[in-house]
Amino acid sequence: MSSAFGKLAAAVCAALFALAVSSASAAEFDRYGLESVGVSLSSPQAGEHADLTTSFALNREAGIPFARTRDIEVHLPPGVIGNPQAIETCSVAQLGNTTEESACPTESQVGVSEISLPELSEEPFAGTFIEPIYNMKPPADSDIVARLGLFAGGYPAFINVRVDPVDYSLVAALEGSPSAVRLLGATTTLWGVPGSPVHDELRLTPQEAVERKLPPGGVEVDQEKPFLSNPTDCSTQREMTITARSYQLPDDPKSKTTTFPQIIGCGKVDFGLEFSALPTNTEAAAPTGIDAELTIPQNEAPAGRATSTLKSAVVTLPEGLTINPSAGDGLGSCSPEQVGYQRPEASHCPDNAKIGSAEIEVPALEHALHGSVYQRTPEPGHLFRFWLVSDELGVHLKLPAEIEANPLTGQLTTVFAGIPSLGGNPQVPVSNLKLHVFGGPRAPLATPSSCGTYSTHYSFTPWSGGPAVVDDTPMQITSGCGKGGFSPGISAGTRSLRAGSFSPLVFDLTRSDGEANPQTLAVHLPQGLLAKLAGVPLCPEGSAGDGSCPASSRVGRLTAAAGVGGAPLWIPQPGKAPTAVYLAGPYRGAPYSVVSVVPAQAGPFDLGTVVNRAGIYIDPDTALATIKTDPLPQILEGVPVSYRTIHVEVDRPDFTLNPTSCEPKKITATVGAANGAKAEPSAPFQATNCAKLDYKPKLKLVFRGSTKRTGNPAIKAVLTQMPHEANTKAAVVLLPSGEFIDNAHISTPCTRVQFNAGNCPKGSILGHAKAVSPLLDEPLQGPVYFRSNGGERELPDIVVDLHGAIHITLVGFIDSAKTGPESSRVRTRFLNVPDAPVSRFTMSLFGGKKGLVENSESLCSRKRRSTIKLKAQNGRALNANQPIQVKCGKRKKGKR
């Protein structure tokens, strides 16, 4: 026939005819199979451009095969590589033109195939034919990476070469061979260097093959370039498999495997490369991507040996170049199922998992492969990893890589170890690889915090078993050098500033990009900004450690932003686990504590749950509260936590209470940096509408016991107050005239040292006190002491030492106040009462031998009054001359 298309049409017709007439022998079809297969190399030297010969023979009886062959598939072992780009190609039209000058160019011949057919007179072609094999241009938009063409029994046929998606080896398949041909077997030799003069005598046209004659003297060609290369790995015993399918039973393939020649001499194979890794952003402490380029020069000399293929690569980025938490915002991931791992199909990774691009130059392909870098779906212990993916030119590349983050420093090491089942990367020559990791505000990396020259360390290992190429490549950070310092800011306050009312408390700590990272935090609340602890179940101690607190203990929530650049990551992200703040019991010497629970989840990553506990410390003298956290985590699973904002909102209903004083105050913080720096930012705080609060407390003084002259009565003071009023700021009480301090009873006051140590002598105890507050479940109560003041005042101080859920001390000053030219009265002043609601305060002072007060005259001789001066936190005052309560006996008849 004059064209390949005509012969193909004839082959189809012959196939239909053959199938129709052969149905009678269907019982013999299952005997179809491979009798033998073989493979050899002209040289077993690693990297050698050797000739590759494969052969097969089919089962037969009386010289006739049991079925007609449709497909022959040769699965070559990994490392056997061809480079069709180095050889001239033949078109389909040229292959079909067997006589004219426009037939396949001689330079496109890459081997010969010796085809065996039955010796039957009725067959148009019989016996053995030596057919030339030509390098063909593969069809576009297919999974065929190379194509070879030949004539099989006078009919054109194509050998399509594909890449196995599992081990990236070559699979050469003669598909749809002419059914009119009863193929017995074939021996095919592909030339390592087709242009070599040793092949001149076998260069022939299809017509010359039909005529069974070789050109006299051979044919010379000018091109002499390598077409095939031996593997560069000598450690593996390889195998080759041939599979045959018949037209009669196409779903019953027959396979046979044979040992591939052992490759030797890997020590003679060269391996060299150049590598660079540069940040896309040279600013310090900023988001960045990476531009990495690997160049492996290939030895393309016909008499030379191929360069060793790359087995593995380990690249360690400079210390300080770390993962940027901002990258997790909106990032997706790609699973093995989505990428189509080890399957001959295009990947379907989601767009939001794409973190970079790639360009790979493989000499055997028509042009560079363009691919993408996708975030792989994390697994426990393997959080940071990616796919290198390309679906071009019939290649489905799905190369996995791991990123190891140092858990202490965050330094990153990228490991290209290849396919686990292969023990390394595909044994395919790569002359150049460009890997671009995206930059921008949410780039996956963060540059070091200071300018300078940094080194990336790399180690590239060849398949040849030779020494790895180990070296360093520099990168520079040249801008943003002035960053640093430590000046965090805070904003804080309640959402409603109305005095005496409940309102959520909001606190924000902010840090500028590039500054030192906060590590410790203590928040100092102003007086009067309190919490109603009554009725809140505490998180059990066993649950506080891991954050498994019950919902009933929840008092608030928090959000945090972390990362470098202008788009930090906010936690929690939509759809992720919520955060929470719980109230817990004593911790590190504090009477109460709060437990913050933050699930560190972003994008596809789950870095676990961060639990931080903070003690709530109450100053006993001022009742000021300080919340002091445990050290803030600086790194999680190798990811540095660059805090930008920490936002806490205590939003439990009726929990946070505003002061009743509208004096200007501050909320301050003591913040320690990881580098040892400290800062004390503050935010103004001032309640409003204090004047609208009522102030109507009641104070009752009761004298009991001895009422006679020189007696020492017991005194009980009871202060009561209704809710929603301004709190008391100061209280001054002048005892009735005629009452004096009994100096004989103040000889053993408690010293400050003894008081602070909780070791006051019994003789310093004057009585007992009890305070009931709506903020606490139980009253505070404790002794009343006489405590020395170091000579600051004439008489010792009277100190109320209240214990319970918290510890509060009230200090009163005792002296004599002039009330006239020649008169004075005992005065007790409590001038610094905390701004806290107290519904009932009771102080009972002993009488008798321990009595502090002595009567100068009988309490029952006349009506006695005390002077009371109370001052509220909002400035209101209550002054009164109030009769004291005394229990006097009944008079006897006839006596006064």
Side-chain angles (χ1 to χ4, degrees):
M1 295 184 181
S2 61
S3 71
F5 299 108
K7 291 189 177 184
L8 284 174
V12 172
C13 294
L16 294 175
F17 174 77
L19 290 173
V21 300
S22 60
S23 59
S25 59
E28 301 291 320
F29 294 158
D30 59 356
R31 296 177 63 186
Y32 173 85
L34 290 163
E35 182 180 82
S36 63
V37 296
V39 60
S40 63
L41 293 170
S42 62
S43 169
Q45 170 61 47
E48 189 88 1
H49 305 302
D51 298 343
L52 171 67
T53 299
T54 61
S55 63
F56 70 91
L58 296 168
N59 295 336
R60 67 197 72 185
E61 187 173 66
I64 305 298
F66 291 102
R68 298 178 184 256
T69 298
R70 189 188 75 171
D71 304 325
I72 293 291
E73 183 179 280
V74 180
H75 197 148
L76 295 170
V80 178
I81 298 297
N83 183 7
Q85 306 306 316
I87 309 300
E88 192 170 337
T89 59
C90 175
S91 67
V92 174
Q94 288 174 316
L95 179 65
N97 192 339
T98 60
T99 57
E100 300 178 7
E101 294 182 358
S102 61
C104 287
T106 304
E107 291 80 5
S108 65
Q109 186 179 351
V110 294
V112 292
S113 182
E114 185 176 320
I115 300 173
S116 298
L117 305 175
E119 295 283 355
L120 298 175
S121 59
E122 67 270 18
E123 296 288 347
F125 297 95
T128 300
F129 294 83
I130 297 178
E131 294 284 357
I133 301 176
Y134 299 102
N135 183 35
M136 309 291 294
K137 185 173 180 63
D141 301 324
S142 71
D143 62 349
I144 299 172
V145 297
R147 170 174 279 182
L148 305 177
L150 76 160
F151 276 79
Y155 299 99
F158 299 106
I159 301 173
N160 294 321
V161 181
R162 296 177 175 85
V163 177
D164 186 288
V166 177
D167 60 9
Y168 296 90
S169 60
L170 297 179
V171 181
L174 176 66
E175 298 172 316
S177 66
S179 60
V181 177
R182 297 190 182 189
L183 186 64
L184 293 176
T187 299
T188 301
T189 299
L190 297 179
W191 298 329
V193 183
S196 172
V198 300
H199 305 307
D200 289 350
E201 293 184 355
L202 290 177
R203 302 186 202 282
L204 71 164
T205 67
Q207 185 61 36
E208 290 171 332
V210 171
E211 297 173 359
R212 303 189 184 189
K213 62 180 182 179
L214 297 174
V219 179
E220 295 182 3
V221 295
D222 295 333
Q223 297 180 353
E224 193 171 348
K225 295 181 179 180
F227 175 63
L228 293 181
S229 299
N230 283 347
T232 57
D233 171 28
C234 298
S235 64
T236 303
Q237 178 61 65
R238 295 170 171 80
E239 293 180 335
M240 184 195 73
T241 300
I242 295 182
T243 301
R245 288 182 177 84
S246 68
Y247 275 104
Q248 285 80 5
L249 297 175
D251 296 329
D252 186 18
K254 306 294 184 180
S255 298
K256 205 171 192 65
T257 299
T258 186
T259 301
F260 195 83
Q262 180 64 47
I263 302 300
I264 62 173
C266 284
K268 299 178 181 180
V269 177
D270 292 333
F271 180 69
L273 56 85
E274 295 179 355
F275 178 73
S276 65
L278 300 174
T280 61
N281 186 0
T282 58
E283 179 185 354
T288 186
I290 285 288
D291 282 320
E293 182 173 7
L294 171 66
T295 301
I296 305 177
Q298 301 296 309
N299 187 348
E300 299 178 353
R305 300 183 184 92
T307 302
S308 175
T309 50
L310 176 64
K311 183 177 183 180
S312 64
V314 179
V315 177
T316 301
L317 296 174
E319 191 167 345
L321 187 67
T322 58
I323 291 176
N324 178 18
S326 302
D329 193 1
L331 181 66
S333 66
C334 186
S335 67
E337 292 73 22
Q338 290 171 310
V339 81
Y341 186 50
Q342 295 189 327
R343 297 201 299 268
E345 60 187 40
S347 63
H348 297 89
C349 292
D351 288 340
N352 64 353
K354 189 175 181 180
I355 60 174
S357 61
E359 184 178 296
I360 310 165
E361 291 185 9
V362 178
L365 299 178
E366 184 178 359
H367 59 72
L369 292 173
H370 297 91
S372 301
V373 181
Y374 292 101
Q375 169 65 45
R376 290 171 65 188
T377 300
E379 295 179 358
H382 302 275
L383 295 177
F384 311 111
R385 51 190 191 161
F386 60 88
W387 300 107
L388 178 57
V389 178
S390 180
D391 292 300
E392 288 188 346
L393 302 178
V395 178
H396 298 293
L397 177 67
K398 291 84 178 272
L399 186 63
E402 296 277 347
I403 298 177
E404 300 171 356
N406 186 300
L408 300 179
T409 66
Q411 188 172 19
L412 303 175
T413 298
T414 302
V415 179
F416 286 90
I419 313 298
S421 59
L422 303 182
N425 290 303
Q427 296 184 49
V428 177
V430 174
S431 58
N432 185 265
L433 168 62
K434 294 178 181 177
L435 191 67
H436 171 66
V437 179
F438 295 151
R442 290 193 173 92
L445 300 174
T447 57
S449 59
S450 59
C451 293
T453 300
Y454 297 84
S455 292
T456 296
H457 184 75
Y458 60 83
S459 176
F460 293 88
T461 303
W463 271 107
S464 65
V469 176
V470 180
D471 206 345
D472 296 293
T473 182
M475 68 169 62
Q476 290 188 330
I477 303 300
T478 58
S479 63
C481 307
K483 293 181 179 179
F486 188 61
S487 57
I490 66 167
S491 63
T494 51
R495 294 202 177 278
S496 170
L497 293 172
R498 187 163 60 89
S501 66
F502 289 103
S503 178
L505 173 66
V506 179
F507 173 85
D508 286 277
L509 173 69
T510 57
R511 162 190 165 270
S512 297
D513 197 14
E515 288 187 348
N517 206 40
Q519 187 175 42
T520 60
L521 173 63
V523 181
H524 314 288
L525 299 180
Q527 191 176 103
L529 187 56
L530 305 170
K532 184 180 180 181
L533 305 177
V536 182
L538 300 181
C539 176
E541 187 63 28
S543 300
D546 60 10
S548 58
C549 300
S552 58
S553 301
R554 182 189 177 280
V555 296
R557 60 186 178 88
L558 62 85
T559 56
V564 297
L569 169 72
W570 282 92
I571 298 286
Q573 287 192 299
K576 301 295 184 180
T579 64
V581 178
Y582 301 96
L583 183 66
Y587 183 66
R588 296 185 183 276
Y592 287 92
S593 60
V594 289
V595 179
S596 61
V597 179
V598 181
Q601 300 173 354
F605 304 115
D606 187 344
L607 306 185
T609 299
V610 179
V611 179
N612 189 280
R613 197 165 179 182
I616 304 176
Y617 298 86
I618 309 297
D619 187 307
D621 295 326
T622 63
L624 296 177
T626 294
I627 299 96
K628 184 178 181 181
T629 70
D630 283 344
L632 304 177
Q634 301 297 294
I635 191 167
L636 295 175
E637 298 288 348
V639 180
V641 185
S642 303
Y643 296 100
R644 301 292 295 282
T645 300
I646 298 176
H647 172 87
V648 181
E649 185 165 352
V650 181
D651 58 3
R652 185 184 182 99
D654 297 336
F655 184 74
T656 306
L657 182 65
N658 281 327
T660 60
S661 167
C662 289
E663 294 181 0
K665 297 179 174 64
K666 289 183 180 180
I667 297 176
T668 61
T670 302
V671 189
N675 64 0
K678 285 192 176 181
E680 294 187 346
S682 63
F685 179 83
Q686 187 173 14
T688 61
N689 297 320
C690 292
K692 294 182 179 181
L693 295 174
D694 285 338
Y695 185 63
K696 298 177 180 179
K698 295 181 179 179
L699 178 63
K700 180 173 66 174
L701 288 178
V702 179
F703 284 64
R704 296 183 183 277
S706 177
T707 60
K708 298 185 299 182
R709 182 178 178 274
T710 70
N712 299 107
I715 302 175
K716 181 179 182 180
V718 180
L719 177 67
T720 57
Q721 190 170 0
M722 298 299 291
H724 311 302
E725 292 186 357
N727 300 321
T728 297
K729 182 178 182 179
V732 178
V733 177
L734 279 77
L735 296 181
S737 59
E739 299 300 308
F740 299 97
I741 298 296
D742 190 339
N743 292 323
H745 292 176
I746 60 173
S747 59
T748 57
C750 180
T751 67
R752 287 181 179 270
V753 173
Q754 290 172 323
F755 183 86
N756 293 334
N759 193 28
C760 288
K762 291 183 178 180
S764 64
I765 300 177
L766 300 177
H768 185 270
K770 181 178 181 181
V772 178
S773 172
L775 302 185
L776 301 173
D777 286 315
E778 300 291 337
L780 301 179
Q781 50 189 330
V784 180
Y785 293 104
F786 234 172
R787 190 183 72 181
S788 62
N789 52 45
E792 296 178 6
R793 287 167 292 279
E794 182 178 352
L795 293 175
D797 298 333
I798 182 171
V799 179
V800 180
D801 193 23
L802 299 172
H803 290 268
I806 59 176
H807 179 205
I808 296 294
T809 58
L810 301 176
V811 180
F813 308 141
I814 300 178
D815 60 8
S816 296
K818 291 285 186 181
T819 56
E822 296 182 358
S823 64
S824 63
R825 298 165 63 183
V826 174
R827 180 176 64 177
T828 302
R829 294 176 296 160
F830 289 91
L831 302 181
N832 295 296
V833 179
D835 188 356
V838 176
S839 56
R840 182 181 180 88
F841 176 78
T842 303
M843 183 170 65
S844 300
L845 300 181
F846 299 143
K849 295 181 179 179
K850 294 185 178 180
L852 176 64
V853 175
E854 179 183 1
N855 302 326
S856 63
E857 58 180 290
S858 173
L859 293 176
C860 297
S861 61
R862 57 186 174 89
K863 196 171 187 178
R864 304 297 183 92
R865 291 181 179 273
S866 63
T867 300
I868 299 172
K869 297 180 180 180
L870 301 177
K871 185 177 182 181
Q873 297 283 347
N874 65 351
R876 291 194 178 193
L878 177 63
N879 298 324
N881 288 318
Q882 182 173 310
I884 63 172
Q885 295 184 16
V886 181
K887 185 176 182 181
C888 296
K890 294 182 179 180
R891 294 178 181 176
K892 294 182 179 181
K893 292 182 178 180
K895 294 184 179 180
R896 290 185 177 180

